[in-house]
Amino acid sequence: MRPFLFVLSVLSALSLASAADKPNIIFILCDDLGTGDVKALNPEGKIATPNMDRIAREGMIFTDAHTPSSVCTPTRYGTLTGRYNWRTKLQKGVLGGLSPRLIEQGRLTVASMLKEQGYHTAAVGKWHLGMDWVIKDKQTVAEMNIESREQAWSVDFTKPHTNGPLSVGFDHYFGIAASLDMVPYVFIEGNKVTVQPTEDREIEMVQGKADKYTRKGPAAPGFTGYEVLPTFIDQAISWISGKSADAKAGKPFFLYLPLTSPHTPILPNPQWRGKSGLNQYGDFVMETDAEVGRLLKSLDDQGLTENTMIVFTSDNGCSPSANYPELLAKGHNPSGRYRGHKADVYEGGHRVPFLVRWPAKVKAGQTTTQLTCLIDFTATVAEITGAALPENAAEDSFSFLPTLLGQPAKGPQRASLVSHSIGGYFAIREGPWKLALCPGSGGWSDPRPGQEPAGSPTVQLFNLDDDLGETKNLQAEHPEIVAKLTKQLEALVESGRSTPGANQANAVPIDIWKKNDAAKAAKGKGKGKKTAAK
């Protein structure tokens, strides 16, 4: 009997050791936070971010990290699925708060994968990936765009939605449907709104006036933008507290925490107004940092810090609504050293803060230049937990675990990156070379699509080692590199994946040159001339 008990105790110890190797995981996704807004990444920045800096100091800084898209919905899709967003039917723009689900039925997500690995899973915050609301008879909502004012009341909010966060692997959800400037203005718990939206209004600004960035529509009585950020952190802390004992006993948790800040409406609470000495955006970043600090303290207090991996990042670059001219005049650039901002194919649109802290495994105070994308989160977590990824999942995700641990990679590492702008324009990066398949920003900064100087080359080629600010187009000097990167992008599109494996199907045909849009624009210009002549 004694040998049996000995073997049993050894097996039990091995089982516990295996469980202990699986960390708790928290993915914090800020909304429109620029890489220049984090002091640890931009010492010349004027915004104090002590808690973000703590994560950087106690973990690893990725200086060459990117979102797959320069706007929010596509990035969120890629983060949770490990697949480039442009492989879906959403080819440009973002969803609205009433849009149907974007994540396909049956597609593996980080949450569903971790749930299979024995994790508790929760999402707290801004969803913005669509959910299937009950639509009133003879009414509609926009499927692949933001709903119109006429569609704002098309949903029957008394009935639960389907195909939201709970359908893609999350045990628990609390949050809002989309950005805080989009209807409906309600909290959602599980698959139901917590309070019926009976008012037709906008979110208020600090001065008590309607924010020009918000849309009028369904709102719950008493719902304000000010309460959203602290409420999300309260909810996150409460959920973690409820799973703390299980986490210590070997059943870890995964929390996906997509915040609404510092996206519009820019609503710092009263105690934060004026703190940055810059403007309300700077104040809002400081408040966001403080709320992250509350979460960190909660982990400390519960003894969960050591074996909890925190990934801290943003869904794209800073938005121009932060008022760049005002911030620049006071010495602060949210985009840091990079050109452009949110929505652009330029680096400022998709190069973002990316910090990883995991005290039990990751040595503090490190910095890496490894090319990384948010879609790599899926493969990284799979490698950490020993989960096997099927052929038709995480097709574009490369594990950065070897980088975190300072160990040789067991599999392929990311060598190239495809970026995508709000207008659906593509760029591909390999080594120092970046090729943008458009003559301008592809987004909101100058030159905007259709407003490029006459005779502008149709593509842009930059050497980021020599020209990080993307100021010199080298396409004429290096046609061979243009041809090589173009061919590489076409192959990545055609194969349906960028990782090794069997080819997969994209949801729709992919137009990397946006020929259809160009044709429509040309047709539109022709019509405009005729109208003017009349």
Side-chain angles (χ1 to χ4, degrees):
M1 189 67 178
R2 285 180 179 176
F4 172 75
L5 291 175
F6 174 75
V7 171
L8 187 63
S9 66
V10 170
L11 290 175
S12 177
L14 288 173
S15 176
L16 288 174
S18 176
D21 285 340
K22 292 183 178 181
N24 306 306
I25 301 169
I26 301 176
F27 193 98
I28 305 173
L29 186 66
C30 290
D31 201 351
D32 291 5
L33 180 74
T35 189
D37 290 326
V38 180
K39 192 74 170 177
L41 304 181
N42 181 22
E44 297 177 355
K46 304 299 182 182
I47 302 176
T49 54
N51 297 291
M52 300 176 194
D53 297 347
R54 177 189 171 188
I55 298 174
R57 184 175 64 252
E58 296 177 356
M60 178 177 282
I61 298 172
F62 287 70
T63 61
D64 201 356
H66 304 257
T67 56
S69 170
S70 56
V71 283
C72 49
T73 296
T75 287
R76 289 157 204 276
Y77 175 90
T79 298
L80 291 180
T81 66
R83 183 181 188 231
Y84 280 127
N85 55 273
W86 43 263
R87 298 196 190 280
T88 75
K89 55 188 177 181
L90 183 64
Q91 293 295 295
K92 60 182 179 180
V94 300
L95 298 184
L98 306 180
S99 300
R101 71 178 287 166
L102 179 62
I103 298 177
E104 303 88 348
Q105 293 279 359
R107 176 159 291 280
L108 180 139
T109 68
V110 177
S112 62
M113 177 179 68
L114 287 176
K115 192 171 183 178
E116 291 176 357
Q117 293 297 308
Y119 274 69
H120 292 295
T121 60
V124 175
K126 166 184 166 177
W127 184 238
H128 213 174
L129 281 165
M131 51 186 69
D132 293 338
W133 298 96
V134 176
I135 307 301
K136 296 175 183 176
D137 187 39
K138 298 181 180 179
Q139 297 194 42
T140 62
V141 294
E143 182 179 4
M144 288 289 111
N145 211 328
I146 300 170
E147 55 278 337
S148 66
R149 167 62 179 154
E150 292 72 27
Q151 296 172 324
W153 287 94
S154 293
V155 167
D156 183 350
F157 293 102
T158 66
K159 298 178 180 177
H161 70 257
T162 57
N163 296 323
L166 300 186
S167 72
V168 295
F170 290 106
D171 301 320
H172 171 74
Y173 175 64
F174 182 94
I176 61 174
S179 297
L180 193 50
D181 55 5
M182 297 178 181
V183 302
Y185 303 123
V186 294
F187 285 121
I188 301 167
E189 187 162 12
N191 60 357
K192 299 178 181 178
V193 301
T194 59
V195 178
Q196 286 297 307
T198 57
E199 299 177 349
D200 187 19
R201 60 179 173 87
E202 299 162 316
I203 298 294
E204 298 298 302
M205 285 186 72
V206 172
Q207 296 88 346
K209 298 177 182 178
D211 191 313
K212 66 180 179 180
Y213 294 107
T214 64
R215 297 160 178 85
K216 191 175 183 180
F223 183 94
T224 71
Y226 302 108
E227 67 187 305
V228 173
L229 175 59
T231 296
F232 286 167
I233 300 300
D234 287 344
Q235 289 283 329
I237 291 173
S238 176
W239 185 81
I240 291 172
S241 297
K243 306 305 176 189
S244 178
D246 280 357
K248 293 174 182 176
K251 184 176 175 63
F253 62 78
F254 167 51
L255 172 65
Y256 172 57
L257 184 58
L259 305 178
T260 50
S261 61
H263 188 287
T264 56
I266 298 172
L267 296 172
N269 274 286
Q271 64 269 34
W272 290 99
R273 297 173 203 165
K275 290 286 187 180
S276 69
L278 299 172
N279 63 8
Q280 287 184 182
Y281 175 79
D283 301 340
F284 208 21
V285 172
M286 289 185 68
E287 182 175 7
T288 302
D289 178 81
E291 291 296 329
V292 169
R294 281 210 294 136
L295 182 68
L296 298 180
K297 184 178 184 302
S298 175
L299 294 175
D300 293 341
D301 292 345
Q302 297 178 72
L304 295 172
T305 298
E306 184 72 8
N307 199 37
T308 297
M309 183 176 81
I310 293 179
V311 178
F312 176 89
T313 187
S314 178
D315 63 349
N316 44 248
C318 178
S319 168
S321 59
N323 197 335
Y324 270 70
E326 183 177 37
L327 292 169
L328 291 170
K330 296 181 180 181
H332 181 77
N333 186 349
S335 297
R337 299 175 293 165
Y338 309 110
R339 181 179 182 180
H341 47 58
K342 174 181 179 176
D344 296 347
V345 79
Y346 294 133
E347 293 291 289
H350 52 82
R351 192 182 289 233
V352 291
F354 197 85
L355 315 172
V356 182
R357 188 189 79 171
W358 182 11
K361 296 288 186 179
V362 177
K363 183 180 177 181
Q366 297 185 83
T367 298
T368 179
T369 59
Q370 171 65 40
L371 180 63
T372 311
C373 185
L374 268 62
I375 56 178
D376 296 334
F377 179 59
T378 305
T380 303
V381 169
E383 186 171 3
I384 288 172
T385 61
L389 291 172
E391 286 278 358
N392 63 344
E395 297 96 328
D396 301 298
S397 187
F398 294 86
S399 174
F400 54 79
L401 181 61
T403 300
L404 285 176
L405 302 182
Q407 299 176 353
K410 298 177 182 178
Q413 294 288 282
R414 176 170 296 282
S416 65
L417 170 76
V418 179
S419 302
H420 204 227
S421 77
I422 189 172
Y425 293 90
F426 283 83
I428 182 169
R429 159 96 178 278
E430 183 178 56
W433 294 106
K434 175 180 175 181
L435 175 68
L437 303 188
C438 57
S441 71
W444 294 343
S445 71
D446 295 328
R448 297 186 178 195
Q451 298 178 15
E452 300 90 351
S456 295
T458 57
V459 300
Q460 301 169 88
L461 180 68
F462 303 108
N463 185 320
L464 298 183
D465 280 356
D466 300 331
D467 180 25
L468 195 56
E470 299 173 284
T471 62
K472 187 176 181 181
N473 185 358
L474 301 176
Q475 57 86 30
E477 290 93 326
H478 295 284
E480 76 286 358
I481 295 176
V482 172
K484 174 190 172 185
L485 291 178
T486 300
K487 186 176 180 179
Q488 186 174 336
L489 177 57
E490 289 172 343
L492 288 173
V493 170
E494 180 67 24
S495 63
R497 69 183 316 130
S498 48
T499 56
N503 285 3
Q504 298 296 314
N506 299 313
V508 295
I510 311 299
D511 176 17
I512 64 171
W513 293 104
K514 293 184 65 63
K515 295 176 182 177
N516 293 333
D517 282 9
K520 289 178 183 178
K523 187 176 181 181
K525 287 179 181 178
K527 287 183 177 180
K529 288 179 181 179
K530 290 180 180 179
T531 302
K534 288 181 180 179

